[in-house]
C-alpha cells in the first residue's frame, strides 16, 4: 500500500516529490513511512525493485514475441523506452531520487534486476549458435547502460521521435 501510494504521488508530482507528500498520499505520518519503508534511499530501493520487475516482465514478453534476434533486440529497446516514457517520473525518481551518496547504488539496483533477466536469454542464444555464453553478463550491463543513458537524454530532450530513437539504438547495439 505504501509503495503504491508512493508511485501514485511520484507520477502526479514528479521525481522531486517530498516524503511528506508521499506519506500524505498513503494516509500515514512521515514517521510511519520511515518506520515501514525507511528513509528516502530505502524507498528508492523498494521502488526500483518494483520497476525493475515490471520492466523485466515486459522485456521478457516482448523479446519472446520476436521471430528473429534483431527483432527481439528492437522489441527490448522499444519496450524499455516506452515503459520509461509512460512512467517518466518514476523512472527518474528511482535513478536519481535518493541522496547524492547513494545514486550509483540506486542505478545499479535497477540495472541488476534487468541485467539478470537479459543475461539468461543472451547466454542461451550464444550457446545455441556455438559461441561463448560467458559474455552474457557484460553484454547485459552494456546494453542497459546504453539504454539508460539514451533514455535519460531522450526524456530530457524529447525532441526526437521515439521510433527514430528505437531504430538508432537498435542499430548501434546490433
Amino acid at each position: 500500500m505504501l509503495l503504491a501510494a508512493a508511485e501514485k504521488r511520484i507520477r502526479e508530482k514528479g521525481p522531486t516529490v517530498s516524503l511528506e507528500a508521499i506519506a500524505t498520499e498513503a494516509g500515514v505520518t512521515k514517521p510511519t513511512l520511515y518506520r515501514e519503508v525507511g528513509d528516502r534511499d530505502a524507498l528508492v530501493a523498494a521502488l526500483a525493485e518494483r520497476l525493475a520487475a515490471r520492466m523485466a516482465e515486459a522485456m521478457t514478453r516482448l523479446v519472446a514475441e520476436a521471430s528473429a534476434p534483431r527483432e527481439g533486440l528492437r522489441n527490448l529497446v522499444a519496450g524499455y523506452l516506452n515503459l520509461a516514457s509512460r512512467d517518466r517520473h518514476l523512472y527518474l525518481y528511482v535513478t536519481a531520487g535518493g541522496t547524492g551518496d547513494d545514486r550509483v547504488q540506486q542505478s545499479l539496483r535497477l540495472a541488476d534486476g534487468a541485467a539478470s533477466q537479459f543475461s539468461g536469454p543472451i547466454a542461451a542464444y550464444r550457446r545455441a549458435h556455438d559461441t561463448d555464453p560467458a559474455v552474457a553478463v557484460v553484454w547485459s550491463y552494456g546494453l542497459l547502460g546504453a539504454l539508460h543513458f539514451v533514455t535519460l537524454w531522450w526524456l530530457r530532450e524529447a525532441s526526437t521521435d521515439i521510433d527514430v530513437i528505437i531504430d538508432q539504438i537498435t542499430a548501434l547495439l546490433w
Side-chain angles (χ1 to χ4, degrees):
M1 175 182 105
L2 289 175
L3 296 179
E7 286 185 3
K8 182 176 187 273
R9 187 50 56 112
I10 292 164
R11 286 181 182 115
E12 291 171 354
K13 300 296 182 184
T16 60
V17 67
S18 70
L19 289 178
E20 185 72 38
I22 290 170
T24 299
E25 178 67 36
V28 300
T29 64
K30 194 171 171 184
T32 300
L33 179 67
Y34 273 96
R35 186 174 57 253
E36 297 295 321
V37 178
D39 63 6
R40 179 175 293 276
D41 290 334
L43 178 62
V44 168
L47 293 173
E49 285 179 27
R50 287 169 57 108
L51 182 60
R54 284 195 300 269
M55 290 179 98
E57 180 183 321
M59 299 314 126
T60 300
R61 182 179 38 78
L62 289 167
V63 170
E65 292 172 0
S67 59
R70 186 173 177 137
E71 180 186 2
L73 177 62
R74 188 182 191 290
N75 287 357
L76 184 145
V77 170
Y80 189 98
L81 282 167
N82 281 312
L83 186 67
S85 175
R86 278 192 314 271
D87 224 343
R88 172 191 175 98
H89 292 315
L90 184 60
Y91 184 87
L92 293 171
Y93 187 86
V94 302
T95 57
T99 63
D101 295 340
D102 200 31
R103 288 202 175 134
V104 171
Q105 290 303 315
Q106 289 164 216
S107 292
L108 285 174
R109 279 185 204 106
L110 187 59
D112 289 343
S116 67
Q117 296 293 317
F118 298 157
S119 61
I122 290 170
Y125 177 83
R126 292 191 51 86
R127 269 189 225 92
H129 291 86
D130 294 321
T131 53
D132 183 12
V135 302
V137 171
V138 171
W139 284 15
S140 294
Y141 280 95
L143 172 78
L144 286 166
L147 280 173
H148 175 65
F149 283 102
V150 167
T151 300
L152 289 176
W153 166 80
W154 181 73
L155 289 174
R156 182 187 68 200
E157 301 297 321
S159 60
T160 305
D161 181 71
I162 192 169
D163 289 320
V164 171
I165 299 299
I166 291 166
D167 289 341
Q168 290 176 351
I169 195 69
T170 300
L172 169 68
L173 294 170
W174 187 253

